[in-house]
Protein backbone atom coordinates (compact mmCIF):
# COMPACT_ATOMS: atom_id res chain seq x y z
CA UNK A 1 0.00 0.00 0.00
CA UNK A 2 1.10 3.54 -0.71
CA UNK A 3 0.92 5.84 2.33
CA UNK A 4 1.18 9.61 1.92
CA UNK A 5 2.53 11.16 5.12
CA UNK A 6 1.96 14.88 5.55
CA UNK A 7 4.28 16.91 7.77
CA UNK A 8 4.88 20.63 8.02
CA UNK A 9 6.31 21.84 11.31
CA UNK A 10 9.04 21.14 13.85
CA UNK A 11 7.28 18.70 16.18
CA UNK A 12 5.96 16.79 13.16
CA UNK A 13 9.49 16.20 11.87
CA UNK A 14 10.35 14.78 15.31
CA UNK A 15 7.26 12.56 15.23
CA UNK A 16 8.02 11.33 11.69
CA UNK A 17 11.45 10.25 12.95
CA UNK A 18 9.70 7.49 14.93
CA UNK A 19 7.45 6.29 12.12
CA UNK A 20 8.99 6.73 8.66
CA UNK A 21 11.67 4.05 9.07
CA UNK A 22 9.39 1.22 10.33
CA UNK A 23 6.65 2.35 7.93
CA UNK A 24 8.95 1.96 4.93
CA UNK A 25 9.69 -1.65 5.87
CA UNK A 26 6.06 -2.54 5.18
CA UNK A 27 4.61 0.18 2.95
CA UNK A 28 5.60 2.62 0.25
CA UNK A 29 5.77 6.04 1.94
CA UNK A 30 5.60 9.34 0.11
CA UNK A 31 6.56 12.16 2.44
CA UNK A 32 4.95 15.54 1.76
CA UNK A 33 6.29 18.69 3.47
CA UNK A 34 3.71 21.46 3.37
CA UNK A 35 6.28 24.17 4.11
CA UNK A 36 4.55 25.47 7.27
CA UNK A 37 8.00 25.60 8.94
CA UNK A 38 10.49 26.21 6.18
CA UNK A 39 13.63 27.76 7.68
CA UNK A 40 16.66 25.56 8.33
CA UNK A 41 16.52 26.02 12.11
CA UNK A 42 12.97 24.69 12.35
CA UNK A 43 13.07 22.22 9.47
CA UNK A 44 16.26 21.04 7.70
CA UNK A 45 18.26 20.32 10.87
CA UNK A 46 15.59 17.87 12.09
CA UNK A 47 15.75 15.87 8.86
CA UNK A 48 19.54 15.70 9.12
CA UNK A 49 19.89 14.95 12.84
CA UNK A 50 17.00 12.51 13.15
CA UNK A 51 17.47 10.71 9.84
CA UNK A 52 13.97 11.59 8.57
CA UNK A 53 13.86 10.79 4.84
CA UNK A 54 14.01 13.79 2.50
CA UNK A 55 10.50 14.94 1.60
CA UNK A 56 9.34 13.61 -1.77
CA UNK A 57 7.19 16.69 -2.32
CA UNK A 58 7.52 20.22 -0.98
CA UNK A 59 4.49 22.48 -1.16
CA UNK A 60 6.23 25.64 0.11
CA UNK A 61 3.13 26.97 1.85
CA UNK A 62 3.69 29.21 4.87
CA UNK A 63 2.60 32.53 6.35
CA UNK A 64 -0.87 34.10 6.29
CA UNK A 65 -3.66 33.58 8.79
CA UNK A 66 -4.57 30.08 9.94
CA UNK A 67 -7.61 30.16 7.66
CA UNK A 68 -5.70 31.30 4.56
CA UNK A 69 -2.84 28.90 5.18
CA UNK A 70 -5.14 25.92 5.73
CA UNK A 71 -7.11 26.81 2.58
CA UNK A 72 -3.96 27.02 0.46
CA UNK A 73 -2.76 23.67 1.79
CA UNK A 74 -6.14 22.09 1.20
CA UNK A 75 -6.12 23.26 -2.39
CA UNK A 76 -2.57 22.01 -3.05
CA UNK A 77 -3.16 18.69 -1.29
CA UNK A 78 -6.39 17.95 -3.18
CA UNK A 79 -4.44 17.97 -6.47
CA UNK A 80 -1.51 16.06 -5.04
CA UNK A 81 -3.65 13.30 -3.53
CA UNK A 82 -5.52 12.90 -6.83
CA UNK A 83 -2.16 12.44 -8.55
CA UNK A 84 -0.62 10.09 -5.97
CA UNK A 85 -3.78 8.06 -5.25
CA UNK A 86 -2.55 6.63 -1.92
CA UNK A 87 -4.28 3.84 0.00
CA UNK A 88 -3.98 5.91 3.18
CA UNK A 89 -2.96 9.36 4.39
CA UNK A 90 -1.05 9.72 7.66
CA UNK A 91 -1.09 12.99 9.63
CA UNK A 92 0.48 14.02 12.94
CA UNK A 93 -0.57 16.24 15.81
CA UNK A 94 -2.59 19.41 15.61
CA UNK A 95 -1.35 21.95 13.07
CA UNK A 96 -2.82 23.49 9.92
CA UNK A 97 -0.92 20.83 7.95
CA UNK A 98 -2.66 18.13 10.02
CA UNK A 99 -6.15 19.47 9.42
CA UNK A 100 -5.59 20.26 5.73
CA UNK A 101 -4.13 16.77 5.15
CA UNK A 102 -6.96 15.00 6.94
CA UNK A 103 -9.70 17.03 5.28
CA UNK A 104 -8.25 16.78 1.76
CA UNK A 105 -7.96 13.00 2.16
CA UNK A 106 -11.40 12.57 3.70
CA UNK A 107 -12.98 14.59 0.91
CA UNK A 108 -11.20 12.39 -1.63
CA UNK A 109 -12.50 9.31 0.27
CA UNK A 110 -8.98 8.21 1.16
CA UNK A 111 -8.69 6.67 4.67
CA UNK A 112 -6.94 8.95 7.16
CA UNK A 113 -4.79 7.82 10.09
CA UNK A 114 -4.11 10.43 12.79
CA UNK A 115 -1.11 10.08 15.10
CA UNK A 116 -1.47 11.74 18.53
CA UNK A 117 -5.26 11.54 18.23
CA UNK A 118 -7.59 12.32 21.11
CA UNK A 119 -5.44 14.93 22.85
CA UNK A 120 -7.60 17.68 24.31
CA UNK A 121 -6.95 20.86 26.26
CA UNK A 122 -10.70 21.69 26.14
CA UNK A 123 -9.67 25.24 25.24
CA UNK A 124 -11.20 26.12 21.88
CA UNK A 125 -9.35 29.44 21.85
CA UNK A 126 -6.24 27.45 20.94
CA UNK A 127 -5.99 27.01 17.16
CA UNK A 128 -4.41 23.61 17.86
CA UNK A 129 -7.51 22.40 19.77
CA UNK A 130 -9.78 23.11 16.82
CA UNK A 131 -7.35 21.33 14.50
CA UNK A 132 -7.24 18.28 16.80
CA UNK A 133 -10.96 17.91 17.19
CA UNK A 134 -11.71 18.36 13.49
CA UNK A 135 -8.88 16.06 12.42
CA UNK A 136 -10.04 13.30 14.78
CA UNK A 137 -13.56 13.47 13.41
CA UNK A 138 -12.31 13.42 9.80
CA UNK A 139 -10.05 10.41 10.48
CA UNK A 140 -10.76 6.72 10.07
CA UNK A 141 -7.98 5.32 12.25
CA UNK A 142 -6.93 7.23 15.34
CA UNK A 143 -3.61 6.36 16.96
CA UNK A 144 -3.53 7.49 20.57
CA UNK A 145 -0.62 8.31 22.87
CA UNK A 146 -2.41 7.78 26.19
CA UNK A 147 -5.46 6.14 27.80
CA UNK A 148 -6.73 9.69 28.48
CA UNK A 149 -6.76 10.33 24.72
CA UNK A 150 -8.71 7.09 24.16
CA UNK A 151 -11.23 8.18 26.81
CA UNK A 152 -11.57 11.64 25.23
CA UNK A 153 -12.45 10.05 21.89
CA UNK A 154 -14.93 7.73 23.64
CA UNK A 155 -16.61 10.73 25.24
CA UNK A 156 -17.02 12.35 21.83
CA UNK A 157 -18.40 9.13 20.30
CA UNK A 158 -16.03 9.53 17.35
CA UNK A 159 -16.83 7.05 14.56
CA UNK A 160 -14.20 4.61 13.30
CA UNK A 161 -11.30 2.88 15.00
CA UNK A 162 -9.04 4.14 17.81
CA UNK A 163 -5.92 2.28 18.95
CA UNK A 164 -3.64 2.98 21.93
CA UNK A 165 -0.11 2.88 20.51
CA UNK A 166 1.90 5.09 22.90
CA UNK A 167 3.62 8.32 22.07
CA UNK A 168 5.97 8.73 19.13
CA UNK A 169 7.94 11.54 20.78
CA UNK A 170 8.81 9.09 23.54
CA UNK A 171 10.32 6.77 20.90
CA UNK A 172 12.48 9.58 19.59
CA UNK A 173 13.64 11.01 22.90
CA UNK A 174 14.46 7.55 24.30
CA UNK A 175 16.45 6.73 21.17
CA UNK A 176 18.27 10.04 20.85
CA UNK A 177 18.98 10.90 24.52
CA UNK A 178 22.24 8.87 24.63
CA UNK A 179 23.28 10.26 21.23
CA UNK A 180 22.60 13.82 22.42
CA UNK A 181 24.56 13.14 25.59
CA UNK A 182 27.58 12.14 23.56
CA UNK A 183 27.44 14.58 20.65
CA UNK A 184 25.96 17.82 21.94
CA UNK A 185 28.26 20.53 23.30
CA UNK A 186 25.34 22.84 24.16
CA UNK A 187 26.19 23.05 27.88
CA UNK A 188 29.77 24.16 27.16
CA UNK A 189 28.71 26.47 24.31
CA UNK A 190 26.31 28.39 26.52
CA UNK A 191 28.44 28.23 29.68
CA UNK A 192 25.86 26.18 31.60
CA UNK A 193 26.41 23.89 34.58
CA UNK A 194 24.24 20.75 34.79
CA UNK A 195 21.37 21.21 37.24
CA UNK A 196 22.00 24.95 37.60
CA UNK A 197 19.89 26.61 34.90
CA UNK A 198 16.31 26.82 33.66
CA UNK A 199 15.49 26.05 30.02
CA UNK A 200 12.62 28.17 28.66
CA UNK A 201 10.57 27.97 25.45
CA UNK A 202 7.46 29.90 24.40
CA UNK A 203 5.60 30.18 21.12
CA UNK A 204 1.86 29.59 21.67
CA UNK A 205 -0.22 32.22 19.89
CA UNK A 206 -2.16 32.84 23.11
CA UNK A 207 1.05 33.81 24.92
CA UNK A 208 3.02 35.74 22.32
CA UNK A 209 0.52 37.34 19.91
CA UNK A 210 -1.36 39.31 22.58
CA UNK A 211 0.88 42.22 23.72
CA UNK A 212 -0.45 42.16 27.31
CA UNK A 213 0.21 38.46 27.67
CA UNK A 214 3.61 38.84 26.02
CA UNK A 215 4.55 41.50 28.63
CA UNK A 216 3.47 39.09 31.41
CA UNK A 217 5.57 36.34 29.84
CA UNK A 218 8.62 38.59 29.74
CA UNK A 219 8.05 39.66 33.38
CA UNK A 220 7.78 36.00 34.40
CA UNK A 221 11.01 35.00 32.66
CA UNK A 222 12.83 38.08 34.00
CA UNK A 223 11.86 37.16 37.57
CA UNK A 224 13.55 33.76 37.55
CA UNK A 225 16.75 33.67 39.57
CA UNK A 226 19.87 32.04 38.13
CA UNK A 227 20.75 31.37 34.51
CA UNK A 228 17.86 31.00 32.10
CA UNK A 229 18.48 29.82 28.54
CA UNK A 230 15.68 30.73 26.12
CA UNK A 231 15.89 29.45 22.52
CA UNK A 232 13.63 31.87 20.68
CA UNK A 233 11.03 30.56 18.27
CA UNK A 234 10.93 32.92 15.23
CA UNK A 235 7.37 33.96 16.04
CA UNK A 236 8.36 34.90 19.61
CA UNK A 237 11.50 36.71 18.44
CA UNK A 238 9.43 38.76 15.98
CA UNK A 239 6.81 39.68 18.62
CA UNK A 240 9.45 40.66 21.20
CA UNK A 241 11.13 42.91 18.64
CA UNK A 242 7.82 44.39 17.47
CA UNK A 243 6.97 45.44 21.04
CA UNK A 244 10.50 46.53 22.00
CA UNK A 245 10.73 43.86 24.72
CA UNK A 246 13.93 42.04 23.73
CA UNK A 247 16.09 44.42 25.82
CA UNK A 248 14.20 43.39 28.98
CA UNK A 249 15.70 39.91 28.58
CA UNK A 250 19.33 41.03 28.59
CA UNK A 251 20.13 38.79 31.59
CA UNK A 252 18.65 35.79 29.81
CA UNK A 253 20.71 33.64 27.45
CA UNK A 254 18.76 34.10 24.21
CA UNK A 255 19.63 31.67 21.42
CA UNK A 256 18.20 30.84 18.02
CA UNK A 257 16.00 27.71 17.94
CA UNK A 258 18.24 24.76 18.81
CA UNK A 259 18.66 21.51 16.95
CA UNK A 260 17.04 18.46 18.52
CA UNK A 261 20.21 17.00 20.03
CA UNK A 262 21.23 20.27 21.70
CA UNK A 263 17.71 20.87 22.94
CA UNK A 264 17.41 17.35 24.33
CA UNK A 265 20.71 17.65 26.15
CA UNK A 266 19.73 21.00 27.66
CA UNK A 267 16.36 19.56 28.72
CA UNK A 268 17.98 16.60 30.40
CA UNK A 269 20.40 18.65 32.47
CA UNK A 270 18.18 21.62 33.32
CA UNK A 271 17.11 22.30 36.91
CA UNK A 272 13.65 22.75 35.38
CA UNK A 273 11.98 23.46 32.08
CA UNK A 274 9.62 26.41 31.68
CA UNK A 275 7.49 26.09 28.58
CA UNK A 276 4.20 26.50 26.76
CA UNK A 277 5.04 23.71 24.30
CA UNK A 278 3.16 20.42 24.21
CA UNK A 279 6.08 18.24 23.18
CA UNK A 280 8.51 19.79 25.63
CA UNK A 281 6.26 18.96 28.63
CA UNK A 282 6.42 15.29 27.64
CA UNK A 283 10.13 15.29 26.90
CA UNK A 284 10.90 16.90 30.28
CA UNK A 285 8.94 14.11 31.97
CA UNK A 286 10.64 11.40 29.96
CA UNK A 287 14.07 12.81 30.83
CA UNK A 288 13.24 13.30 34.53
CA UNK A 289 13.31 17.11 34.51
CA UNK A 290 10.61 19.01 36.43
CA UNK A 291 8.41 21.14 34.18
CA UNK A 292 6.57 24.40 34.77
CA UNK A 293 4.00 25.06 32.07
CA UNK A 294 2.99 28.60 31.12
CA UNK A 295 -0.58 27.65 30.26
CA UNK A 296 -3.69 27.02 32.30
CA UNK A 297 -4.57 23.79 30.52
CA UNK A 298 -2.60 20.86 29.14
CA UNK A 299 -3.31 17.84 26.99
CA UNK A 300 -0.55 15.95 28.83
CA UNK A 301 -2.48 15.72 32.10
CA UNK A 302 -0.57 12.64 33.30
CA UNK A 303 2.61 14.68 33.74
CA UNK A 304 0.72 16.97 36.15
CA UNK A 305 -0.95 14.06 37.97
CA UNK A 306 2.44 12.37 38.42
CA UNK A 307 3.74 15.55 40.09
CA UNK A 308 6.36 16.43 37.45
CA UNK A 309 4.53 19.30 35.79
CA UNK A 310 2.75 22.35 37.25
CA UNK A 311 0.45 24.66 35.28
CA UNK A 312 1.04 28.30 36.22
CA UNK A 313 -0.33 30.21 33.21
CA UNK A 314 1.65 33.50 33.20
CA UNK A 315 1.62 34.01 36.98
CA UNK A 316 5.23 34.82 37.97
CA UNK A 317 4.67 34.07 41.69
CA UNK A 318 3.18 30.68 40.89
CA UNK A 319 6.07 29.95 38.52
CA UNK A 320 8.66 30.81 41.20
CA UNK A 321 6.85 28.61 43.73
CA UNK A 322 6.69 25.76 41.20
CA UNK A 323 10.41 26.08 40.49
CA UNK A 324 11.19 25.89 44.21
CA UNK A 325 9.05 22.82 44.92
CA UNK A 326 10.57 19.45 45.77
CA UNK A 327 10.77 17.13 42.81
CA UNK A 328 8.87 13.86 43.16
CA UNK A 329 10.91 10.94 44.41
CA UNK A 330 10.78 7.35 43.20
CA UNK A 331 10.20 5.89 39.77
CA UNK A 332 8.41 7.85 37.09
CA UNK A 333 5.45 5.80 35.82
CA UNK A 334 5.74 4.68 32.18
CA UNK A 335 3.14 7.00 30.68
CA UNK A 336 3.95 7.09 27.01
CA UNK A 337 4.43 3.56 25.71
CA UNK A 338 8.11 2.99 26.41
CA UNK A 339 9.47 3.78 22.95
CA UNK A 340 7.52 1.36 20.74
CA UNK A 341 4.82 3.65 19.33
CA UNK A 342 6.34 3.74 15.81
CA UNK A 343 6.19 -0.06 15.47
CA UNK A 344 2.69 -0.22 16.92
CA UNK A 345 1.49 2.41 14.44
CA UNK A 346 2.76 0.32 11.53
CA UNK A 347 1.03 -2.76 13.00
CA UNK A 348 -2.22 -0.80 13.35
CA UNK A 349 -2.00 0.43 9.73
CA UNK A 350 -1.33 -3.11 8.52
CA UNK A 351 -4.29 -4.48 10.50
CA UNK A 352 -6.68 -1.73 9.42
CA UNK A 353 -9.48 -2.65 7.08
CA UNK A 354 -11.48 0.29 5.76
CA UNK A 355 -15.21 0.19 6.54
CA UNK A 356 -17.05 -0.61 3.31
N1 LIG B 1 12.70 21.70 20.08
C1 LIG B 1 13.98 21.79 19.53
N2 LIG B 1 14.66 22.99 19.63
C2 LIG B 1 14.14 24.07 20.30
C3 LIG B 1 12.85 23.94 20.87
C4 LIG B 1 12.15 22.75 20.74
O1 LIG B 1 14.48 20.83 18.96
O2 LIG B 1 14.80 25.10 20.36
C5 LIG B 1 11.97 20.43 19.90
C6 LIG B 1 11.57 19.76 21.18
O3 LIG B 1 12.56 18.88 21.61
C7 LIG B 1 10.30 19.01 20.79
C8 LIG B 1 9.72 19.86 19.70
O4 LIG B 1 10.75 20.73 19.25
O5 LIG B 1 10.60 17.74 20.27
C9 LIG B 1 8.56 20.66 20.25
O6 LIG B 1 8.14 21.52 19.32
P1 LIG B 1 7.30 22.83 19.63
O7 LIG B 1 7.52 23.25 21.03
O8 LIG B 1 7.63 23.78 18.53
O9 LIG B 1 5.83 22.37 19.34
P2 LIG B 1 4.62 21.81 20.22
O10 LIG B 1 5.05 20.51 20.78
O11 LIG B 1 4.29 22.83 21.24
O12 LIG B 1 3.53 21.65 19.23
Amino acid sequence: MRVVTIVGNRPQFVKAAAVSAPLRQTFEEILVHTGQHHDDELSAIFFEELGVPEPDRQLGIHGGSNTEQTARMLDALAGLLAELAPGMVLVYGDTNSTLAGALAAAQARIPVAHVEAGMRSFDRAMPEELNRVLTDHASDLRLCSTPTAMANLGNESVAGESVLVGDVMADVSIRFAPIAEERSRALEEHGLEPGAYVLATAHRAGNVDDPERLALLVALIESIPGPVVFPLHPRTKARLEEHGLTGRLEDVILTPPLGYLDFLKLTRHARAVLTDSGGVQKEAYLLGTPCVTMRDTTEWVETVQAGWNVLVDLDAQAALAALERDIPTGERPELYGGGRAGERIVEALAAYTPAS
Side-chain angles (χ1 to χ4, degrees):
M1 178 170 74
R2 170 177 284 181
V3 177
V4 166
T5 298
I6 297 166
V7 292
N9 82 344
R10 173 167 70 184
Q12 290 167 341
F13 311 139
V14 176
K15 291 164 198 176
V19 181
S20 278
L23 188 72
R24 285 170 188 229
Q25 288 173 12
T26 307
F27 301 108
E28 179 200 6
E29 182 184 46
I30 299 194
L31 191 65
V32 177
H33 186 328
T34 60
Q36 195 176 336
H37 281 169
H38 54 99
D39 34 11
D40 287 353
E41 288 164 343
L42 294 187
S43 178
I45 188 167
F46 291 86
F47 286 83
E48 286 158 31
E49 285 191 341
L50 303 179
V52 180
E54 278 297 303
D56 300 287
R57 301 296 180 101
Q58 301 260 11
L59 304 184
I61 298 170
H62 48 83
S65 68
N66 287 326
T67 309
E68 281 162 359
Q69 194 186 78
T70 309
R72 280 188 285 145
M73 287 178 183
L74 197 53
D75 190 30
L77 286 167
L80 190 63
L81 293 179
E83 177 201 327
L84 297 173
M88 186 165 260
V89 165
L90 183 67
V91 294
Y92 294 97
D94 54 21
T95 71
N96 296 338
S97 306
T98 316
L99 176 59
L103 190 52
Q107 285 173 333
R109 311 279 298 144
I110 301 165
V112 181
H114 180 207
V115 175
E116 223 181 66
M119 302 318 302
R120 296 289 183 267
S121 66
F122 301 101
D123 175 5
R124 282 288 178 107
M126 287 178 79
E128 295 89 348
E129 182 76 357
L130 190 62
N131 289 339
R132 288 178 195 125
V133 172
L134 297 176
T135 300
D136 281 334
H137 285 259
S139 297
D140 301 275
L141 175 62
R142 282 164 299 273
L143 303 153
C144 294
S145 300
T146 63
T148 309
M150 293 287 285
N152 289 338
L153 293 172
N155 291 340
E156 290 175 21
S157 306
V158 186
E161 207 177 311
S162 303
V163 183
L164 179 63
V165 291
D167 189 76
V168 284
M169 280 181 136
D171 295 24
V172 185
S173 58
I174 290 168
R175 185 163 137 226
F176 283 92
I179 299 172
E181 204 50 39
E182 198 183 302
R183 290 199 200 149
S184 167
R185 296 282 156 268
L187 287 168
E188 296 84 338
E189 275 163 25
H190 299 292
L192 300 166
E193 290 296 325
Y197 63 92
V198 170
L199 174 63
T201 81
H203 69 283
R204 291 263 91 76
N207 280 346
V208 304
D209 286 357
D210 170 351
E212 278 179 31
R213 299 228 357 129
L214 184 65
L216 286 175
L217 180 101
V218 168
L220 189 159
I221 291 178
E222 261 185 311
S223 73
I224 294 164
V228 177
V229 56
F230 186 10
L232 283 183
H233 190 284
R235 165 190 218 132
T236 310
K237 181 168 190 276
R239 299 293 178 270
L240 288 170
E241 282 167 6
E242 223 171 274
H243 299 288
L245 289 167
T246 316
R248 293 252 309 268
L249 295 173
E250 62 184 8
D251 292 335
V252 172
I253 305 168
L254 298 178
T255 76
L258 300 177
Y260 187 76
L261 297 181
D262 283 346
F263 191 79
L264 208 59
K265 181 140 182 186
L266 291 191
T267 303
R268 184 173 187 175
H269 293 287
R271 170 161 81 86
V273 161
L274 180 67
T275 191
D276 63 9
S277 158
V280 174
Q281 293 174 57
K282 253 183 302 185
E283 286 169 350
Y285 178 82
L286 290 159
L287 295 167
T289 303
C291 185
V292 178
T293 297
M294 296 183 285
R295 290 174 44 191
D296 59 1
T297 59
T298 182
E299 311 78 55
W300 306 102
V301 288
E302 304 80 8
T303 58
V304 176
Q305 287 155 1
W308 284 84
N309 188 7
V310 181
L311 305 181
V312 299
D313 197 11
L314 294 178
D315 180 336
Q317 289 303 323
L320 288 174
L323 286 169
E324 292 313 318
R325 79 195 193 278
D326 292 332
I327 60 165
T329 49
E331 288 287 295
R332 271 165 292 131
E334 183 77 86
L335 299 178
Y336 296 118
R340 292 197 44 233
E343 287 165 45
R344 293 198 191 107
I345 285 171
V346 178
E347 283 163 22
L349 294 187
Y352 176 72
T353 34
S356 50

